[in-house]
Amino acid sequence: MIMNKEAKPGIVQFVRYACVGVMNTLVTLCVIFLCKSLLGINPFVSNAIGYIAGVINSFLWNKNWVFCSAGSYTPEAIRFVVGFIVCYGIQFLVVWLLNYKTALRGYEIDIYSFTLSGYGLATLIGNVVYTGSNFMFNKLVTFKTHL
C-alpha cells in the first residue's frame, strides 16, 4: 500500500495515541490495585484515584509525545478534560443505544469457551467510538497547532 507523505504522520500519531491508551490503562489499573490492595483504601476512592492518575498520565504523554504541543499547559489540560467528558458521554450514549434500542439486548454468541453478550459487543463498539472521537478531539481542539 502506497501512502502519501501527509498520511504517514497521521498514522504514526494515531499509533502513538493507541500506545498511550494501552499504557494509560495499565497505569490506571496499577494505581487502583496499589491503592486498594496494598494501601487498603476504599475501592471506590481507589478507582477515582486510579482514573485521575490515568487522565494525568494520558494528558502528559499526549501533549508531549503524541501531538508534540508547545501550547500552555492549563488551557490544554482544561480542553483535554472537556474532551474526555464529551467523548465518554458519546461512548456511553452509543453503548446505551446499542444495548437498549437494538437487537443486541439479550444477544449472546459463544466463541470457544467465552460468551460475548450484547452488552459486551456494545461496549467494544463504544470503545472504538471513544478512541476515534477522543483522538480527533485532541488533534483538532485540545492540541490544535496554530500555523
Side-chain angles (χ1 to χ4, degrees):
M1 184 170 139
I2 299 173
M3 291 183 253
N4 65 32
K5 289 182 181 180
E6 291 181 19
K8 286 183 183 179
I11 291 170
V12 170
Q13 199 172 49
F14 186 79
V15 169
R16 285 182 175 192
Y17 177 81
C19 290
V20 169
V22 170
M23 179 178 50
N24 183 56
T25 300
L26 293 173
V27 166
T28 301
L29 292 175
C30 286
V31 170
I32 292 169
F33 175 78
L34 175 74
C35 289
K36 180 187 169 297
S37 298
L38 299 180
L39 300 177
I41 297 173
N42 174 286
F44 297 106
V45 173
S46 297
N47 188 278
I49 293 168
Y51 272 86
I52 290 167
V55 168
I56 292 168
N57 175 71
S58 183
F59 170 73
L60 293 172
W61 279 99
N62 277 294
K63 175 177 178 49
N64 296 306
W65 186 56
V66 175
F67 299 102
C68 302
S69 175
S72 179
Y73 273 84
T74 302
E76 287 182 345
I78 292 168
R79 290 191 301 264
F80 188 84
V81 170
V82 168
F84 168 78
I85 292 168
V86 167
C87 295
Y88 179 80
I90 293 168
Q91 175 273 154
F92 186 85
L93 181 63
V94 166
V95 171
W96 183 83
L97 287 171
L98 288 173
N99 196 52
Y100 291 105
K101 301 297 180 185
T102 71
L104 285 182
R105 186 174 190 161
Y107 174 83
E108 287 187 354
I109 184 171
D110 291 323
I111 305 168
Y112 299 107
S113 61
F114 177 78
T115 300
L116 180 63
S117 67
Y119 177 76
L121 185 57
T123 300
L124 288 172
I125 293 167
N127 192 273
V128 169
V129 169
Y130 173 84
T131 300
S133 63
N134 192 253
F135 174 76
M136 293 308 297
F137 187 94
N138 285 323
K139 183 177 183 74
L140 301 174
V141 178
T142 304
F143 303 113
K144 182 179 180 182
T145 54
H146 302 285
L147 300 175

mmCIF file of all heavy atoms in Angstrom, residues 11-41:
data_model
loop_
_atom_site.group_PDB
_atom_site.id
_atom_site.type_symbol
_atom_site.label_atom_id
_atom_site.label_comp_id
_atom_site.label_asym_id
_atom_site.label_seq_id
_atom_site.Cartn_x
_atom_site.Cartn_y
_atom_site.Cartn_z
ATOM 1 N N ILE A 11 -0.875 8.610 10.717
ATOM 2 C CA ILE A 11 -0.884 7.205 11.129
ATOM 3 C C ILE A 11 0.067 7.004 12.303
ATOM 4 O O ILE A 11 -0.280 6.350 13.287
ATOM 5 C CB ILE A 11 -0.519 6.286 9.942
ATOM 6 C CG1 ILE A 11 -1.645 6.317 8.908
ATOM 7 C CG2 ILE A 11 -0.256 4.858 10.417
ATOM 8 C CD1 ILE A 11 -1.295 5.646 7.602
ATOM 9 N N VAL A 12 1.255 7.578 12.210
ATOM 10 C CA VAL A 12 2.220 7.480 13.316
ATOM 11 C C VAL A 12 1.630 8.099 14.580
ATOM 12 O O VAL A 12 1.733 7.535 15.669
ATOM 13 C CB VAL A 12 3.560 8.162 12.936
ATOM 14 C CG1 VAL A 12 4.470 8.297 14.143
ATOM 15 C CG2 VAL A 12 4.252 7.386 11.821
ATOM 16 N N GLN A 13 0.976 9.237 14.424
ATOM 17 C CA GLN A 13 0.358 9.915 15.554
ATOM 18 C C GLN A 13 -0.723 9.029 16.184
ATOM 19 O O GLN A 13 -0.797 8.914 17.406
ATOM 20 C CB GLN A 13 -0.241 11.237 15.077
ATOM 21 C CG GLN A 13 -0.515 12.234 16.158
ATOM 22 C CD GLN A 13 -0.927 13.565 15.568
ATOM 23 O OE1 GLN A 13 -1.799 13.624 14.706
ATOM 24 N NE2 GLN A 13 -0.307 14.629 16.047
ATOM 25 N N PHE A 14 -1.542 8.384 15.354
ATOM 26 C CA PHE A 14 -2.590 7.518 15.889
ATOM 27 C C PHE A 14 -1.996 6.289 16.569
ATOM 28 O O PHE A 14 -2.498 5.851 17.611
ATOM 29 C CB PHE A 14 -3.591 7.098 14.810
ATOM 30 C CG PHE A 14 -4.751 6.339 15.385
ATOM 31 C CD1 PHE A 14 -5.779 7.009 16.019
ATOM 32 C CD2 PHE A 14 -4.792 4.955 15.327
ATOM 33 C CE1 PHE A 14 -6.846 6.316 16.589
ATOM 34 C CE2 PHE A 14 -5.850 4.250 15.886
ATOM 35 C CZ PHE A 14 -6.879 4.930 16.519
ATOM 36 N N VAL A 15 -0.938 5.717 16.010
ATOM 37 C CA VAL A 15 -0.285 4.565 16.651
ATOM 38 C C VAL A 15 0.281 4.973 18.009
ATOM 39 O O VAL A 15 0.137 4.251 18.998
ATOM 40 C CB VAL A 15 0.815 3.962 15.732
ATOM 41 C CG1 VAL A 15 1.673 2.963 16.477
ATOM 42 C CG2 VAL A 15 0.178 3.319 14.505
ATOM 43 N N ARG A 16 0.880 6.142 18.074
ATOM 44 C CA ARG A 16 1.370 6.651 19.363
ATOM 45 C C ARG A 16 0.217 6.840 20.340
ATOM 46 O O ARG A 16 0.322 6.514 21.524
ATOM 47 C CB ARG A 16 2.121 7.977 19.174
ATOM 48 C CG ARG A 16 3.488 7.820 18.576
ATOM 49 C CD ARG A 16 4.175 9.162 18.459
ATOM 50 N NE ARG A 16 5.536 9.006 17.996
ATOM 51 C CZ ARG A 16 6.448 9.968 18.019
ATOM 52 N NH1 ARG A 16 6.133 11.166 18.452
ATOM 53 N NH2 ARG A 16 7.662 9.741 17.589
ATOM 54 N N TYR A 17 -0.885 7.401 19.840
ATOM 55 C CA TYR A 17 -2.076 7.603 20.661
ATOM 56 C C TYR A 17 -2.565 6.268 21.225
ATOM 57 O O TYR A 17 -2.902 6.168 22.406
ATOM 58 C CB TYR A 17 -3.167 8.287 19.827
ATOM 59 C CG TYR A 17 -4.472 8.477 20.543
ATOM 60 C CD1 TYR A 17 -4.665 9.541 21.416
ATOM 61 C CD2 TYR A 17 -5.519 7.584 20.345
ATOM 62 C CE1 TYR A 17 -5.864 9.709 22.074
ATOM 63 C CE2 TYR A 17 -6.722 7.749 21.003
ATOM 64 C CZ TYR A 17 -6.892 8.811 21.860
ATOM 65 O OH TYR A 17 -8.087 8.975 22.518
ATOM 66 N N ALA A 18 -2.587 5.244 20.389
ATOM 67 C CA ALA A 18 -3.013 3.910 20.826
ATOM 68 C C ALA A 18 -2.053 3.348 21.883
ATOM 69 O O ALA A 18 -2.490 2.739 22.863
ATOM 70 C CB ALA A 18 -3.115 2.967 19.635
ATOM 71 N N CYS A 19 -0.758 3.562 21.701
ATOM 72 C CA CYS A 19 0.231 3.106 22.690
ATOM 73 C C CYS A 19 0.015 3.795 24.030
ATOM 74 O O CYS A 19 0.080 3.165 25.088
ATOM 75 C CB CYS A 19 1.649 3.371 22.192
ATOM 76 S SG CYS A 19 2.158 2.320 20.819
ATOM 77 N N VAL A 20 -0.250 5.099 23.980
ATOM 78 C CA VAL A 20 -0.533 5.846 25.208
ATOM 79 C C VAL A 20 -1.798 5.295 25.865
ATOM 80 O O VAL A 20 -1.865 5.168 27.086
ATOM 81 C CB VAL A 20 -0.660 7.365 24.932
ATOM 82 C CG1 VAL A 20 -1.219 8.104 26.143
ATOM 83 C CG2 VAL A 20 0.696 7.942 24.540
ATOM 84 N N GLY A 21 -2.794 4.919 25.059
ATOM 85 C CA GLY A 21 -4.019 4.342 25.602
ATOM 86 C C GLY A 21 -3.765 3.046 26.359
ATOM 87 O O GLY A 21 -4.309 2.825 27.444
ATOM 88 N N VAL A 22 -2.921 2.187 25.803
ATOM 89 C CA VAL A 22 -2.573 0.929 26.471
ATOM 90 C C VAL A 22 -1.820 1.222 27.763
ATOM 91 O O VAL A 22 -2.134 0.670 28.826
ATOM 92 C CB VAL A 22 -1.740 0.013 25.535
ATOM 93 C CG1 VAL A 22 -1.179 -1.174 26.290
ATOM 94 C CG2 VAL A 22 -2.586 -0.443 24.348
ATOM 95 N N MET A 23 -0.835 2.115 27.678
ATOM 96 C CA MET A 23 -0.054 2.478 28.862
ATOM 97 C C MET A 23 -0.966 3.105 29.916
ATOM 98 O O MET A 23 -0.846 2.819 31.112
ATOM 99 C CB MET A 23 1.066 3.443 28.478
ATOM 100 C CG MET A 23 1.909 3.875 29.656
ATOM 101 S SD MET A 23 3.272 4.971 29.225
ATOM 102 C CE MET A 23 2.496 6.204 28.233
ATOM 103 N N ASN A 24 -1.885 3.957 29.475
ATOM 104 C CA ASN A 24 -2.804 4.622 30.377
ATOM 105 C C ASN A 24 -3.677 3.604 31.119
ATOM 106 O O ASN A 24 -3.909 3.737 32.322
ATOM 107 C CB ASN A 24 -3.677 5.600 29.585
ATOM 108 C CG ASN A 24 -4.592 6.376 30.476
ATOM 109 O OD1 ASN A 24 -4.155 7.025 31.399
ATOM 110 N ND2 ASN A 24 -5.878 6.280 30.216
ATOM 111 N N THR A 25 -4.142 2.588 30.411
ATOM 112 C CA THR A 25 -4.937 1.539 31.047
ATOM 113 C C THR A 25 -4.122 0.830 32.119
ATOM 114 O O THR A 25 -4.616 0.581 33.226
ATOM 115 C CB THR A 25 -5.428 0.525 29.987
ATOM 116 O OG1 THR A 25 -6.222 1.229 29.026
ATOM 117 C CG2 THR A 25 -6.229 -0.592 30.617
ATOM 118 N N LEU A 26 -2.871 0.521 31.818
ATOM 119 C CA LEU A 26 -2.004 -0.143 32.796
ATOM 120 C C LEU A 26 -1.757 0.736 34.019
ATOM 121 O O LEU A 26 -1.805 0.256 35.155
ATOM 122 C CB LEU A 26 -0.677 -0.546 32.145
ATOM 123 C CG LEU A 26 -0.778 -1.632 31.066
ATOM 124 C CD1 LEU A 26 0.569 -1.827 30.379
ATOM 125 C CD2 LEU A 26 -1.279 -2.930 31.656
ATOM 126 N N VAL A 27 -1.490 2.031 33.796
ATOM 127 C CA VAL A 27 -1.278 2.960 34.906
ATOM 128 C C VAL A 27 -2.524 3.012 35.788
ATOM 129 O O VAL A 27 -2.447 2.909 37.015
ATOM 130 C CB VAL A 27 -0.906 4.378 34.392
ATOM 131 C CG1 VAL A 27 -1.025 5.422 35.496
ATOM 132 C CG2 VAL A 27 0.492 4.379 33.805
ATOM 133 N N THR A 28 -3.691 3.167 35.151
ATOM 134 C CA THR A 28 -4.944 3.252 35.896
ATOM 135 C C THR A 28 -5.158 2.005 36.744
ATOM 136 O O THR A 28 -5.439 2.095 37.950
ATOM 137 C CB THR A 28 -6.138 3.444 34.926
ATOM 138 O OG1 THR A 28 -5.933 4.651 34.176
ATOM 139 C CG2 THR A 28 -7.454 3.527 35.677
ATOM 140 N N LEU A 29 -5.008 0.828 36.133
ATOM 141 C CA LEU A 29 -5.229 -0.419 36.865
ATOM 142 C C LEU A 29 -4.198 -0.621 37.977
ATOM 143 O O LEU A 29 -4.546 -1.080 39.070
ATOM 144 C CB LEU A 29 -5.209 -1.604 35.899
ATOM 145 C CG LEU A 29 -6.373 -1.662 34.912
ATOM 146 C CD1 LEU A 29 -6.171 -2.808 33.920
ATOM 147 C CD2 LEU A 29 -7.710 -1.778 35.623
ATOM 148 N N CYS A 30 -2.945 -0.282 37.707
ATOM 149 C CA CYS A 30 -1.898 -0.434 38.733
ATOM 150 C C CYS A 30 -2.148 0.486 39.928
ATOM 151 O O CYS A 30 -1.974 0.081 41.079
ATOM 152 C CB CYS A 30 -0.518 -0.168 38.135
ATOM 153 S SG CYS A 30 0.065 -1.514 37.077
ATOM 154 N N VAL A 31 -2.555 1.724 39.667
ATOM 155 C CA VAL A 31 -2.830 2.656 40.763
ATOM 156 C C VAL A 31 -4.039 2.175 41.569
ATOM 157 O O VAL A 31 -4.018 2.220 42.802
ATOM 158 C CB VAL A 31 -3.029 4.100 40.238
ATOM 159 C CG1 VAL A 31 -3.560 5.019 41.330
ATOM 160 C CG2 VAL A 31 -1.714 4.645 39.680
ATOM 161 N N ILE A 32 -5.074 1.698 40.893
ATOM 162 C CA ILE A 32 -6.243 1.163 41.603
ATOM 163 C C ILE A 32 -5.815 -0.007 42.485
ATOM 164 O O ILE A 32 -6.162 -0.070 43.668
ATOM 165 C CB ILE A 32 -7.357 0.735 40.631
ATOM 166 C CG1 ILE A 32 -7.965 1.964 39.946
ATOM 167 C CG2 ILE A 32 -8.441 -0.070 41.354
ATOM 168 C CD1 ILE A 32 -8.895 1.632 38.780
ATOM 169 N N PHE A 33 -5.030 -0.935 41.931
ATOM 170 C CA PHE A 33 -4.565 -2.094 42.693
ATOM 171 C C PHE A 33 -3.709 -1.654 43.878
ATOM 172 O O PHE A 33 -3.902 -2.126 45.003
ATOM 173 C CB PHE A 33 -3.769 -3.043 41.792
ATOM 174 C CG PHE A 33 -3.157 -4.186 42.546
ATOM 175 C CD1 PHE A 33 -3.928 -5.280 42.923
ATOM 176 C CD2 PHE A 33 -1.816 -4.173 42.898
ATOM 177 C CE1 PHE A 33 -3.371 -6.337 43.633
ATOM 178 C CE2 PHE A 33 -1.251 -5.220 43.608
ATOM 179 C CZ PHE A 33 -2.032 -6.301 43.986
ATOM 180 N N LEU A 34 -2.777 -0.743 43.632
ATOM 181 C CA LEU A 34 -1.900 -0.255 44.698
ATOM 182 C C LEU A 34 -2.710 0.366 45.828
ATOM 183 O O LEU A 34 -2.503 0.054 47.006
ATOM 184 C CB LEU A 34 -0.905 0.768 44.133
ATOM 185 C CG LEU A 34 0.000 1.463 45.145
ATOM 186 C CD1 LEU A 34 1.069 0.500 45.633
ATOM 187 C CD2 LEU A 34 0.658 2.674 44.519
ATOM 188 N N CYS A 35 -3.628 1.238 45.470
ATOM 189 C CA CYS A 35 -4.433 1.927 46.487
ATOM 190 C C CYS A 35 -5.320 0.950 47.259
ATOM 191 O O CYS A 35 -5.363 0.986 48.494
ATOM 192 C CB CYS A 35 -5.294 3.010 45.844
ATOM 193 S SG CYS A 35 -4.366 4.427 45.253
ATOM 194 N N LYS A 36 -6.025 0.087 46.535
ATOM 195 C CA LYS A 36 -6.990 -0.801 47.173
ATOM 196 C C LYS A 36 -6.312 -1.951 47.911
ATOM 197 O O LYS A 36 -6.555 -2.163 49.090
ATOM 198 C CB LYS A 36 -7.960 -1.360 46.131
ATOM 199 C CG LYS A 36 -9.009 -2.289 46.712
ATOM 200 C CD LYS A 36 -9.830 -2.928 45.602
ATOM 201 C CE LYS A 36 -10.683 -4.048 46.114
ATOM 202 N NZ LYS A 36 -9.937 -5.173 46.659
ATOM 203 N N SER A 37 -5.462 -2.671 47.206
ATOM 204 C CA SER A 37 -4.924 -3.911 47.768
ATOM 205 C C SER A 37 -3.730 -3.710 48.682
ATOM 206 O O SER A 37 -3.589 -4.422 49.674
ATOM 207 C CB SER A 37 -4.545 -4.868 46.639
ATOM 208 O OG SER A 37 -5.697 -5.192 45.887
ATOM 209 N N LEU A 38 -2.870 -2.776 48.347
ATOM 210 C CA LEU A 38 -1.661 -2.606 49.156
ATOM 211 C C LEU A 38 -1.802 -1.533 50.234
ATOM 212 O O LEU A 38 -1.221 -1.655 51.309
ATOM 213 C CB LEU A 38 -0.470 -2.295 48.252
ATOM 214 C CG LEU A 38 -0.127 -3.385 47.234
ATOM 215 C CD1 LEU A 38 1.065 -2.987 46.375
ATOM 216 C CD2 LEU A 38 0.147 -4.724 47.928
ATOM 217 N N LEU A 39 -2.580 -0.490 49.945
ATOM 218 C CA LEU A 39 -2.727 0.599 50.914
ATOM 219 C C LEU A 39 -4.046 0.523 51.685
ATOM 220 O O LEU A 39 -4.253 1.284 52.623
ATOM 221 C CB LEU A 39 -2.600 1.957 50.218
ATOM 222 C CG LEU A 39 -1.263 2.216 49.509
ATOM 223 C CD1 LEU A 39 -1.289 3.562 48.793
ATOM 224 C CD2 LEU A 39 -0.103 2.149 50.494
ATOM 225 N N GLY A 40 -4.952 -0.365 51.261
ATOM 226 C CA GLY A 40 -6.208 -0.559 51.982
ATOM 227 C C GLY A 40 -7.211 0.580 51.838
ATOM 228 O O GLY A 40 -8.098 0.734 52.667
ATOM 229 N N ILE A 41 -7.084 1.368 50.773
ATOM 230 C CA ILE A 41 -8.005 2.483 50.546
ATOM 231 C C ILE A 41 -9.326 1.929 50.008
ATOM 232 O O ILE A 41 -9.342 0.951 49.261
ATOM 233 C CB ILE A 41 -7.373 3.500 49.567
ATOM 234 C CG1 ILE A 41 -6.105 4.094 50.193
ATOM 235 C CG2 ILE A 41 -8.359 4.600 49.181
ATOM 236 C CD1 ILE A 41 -5.301 4.987 49.260
#
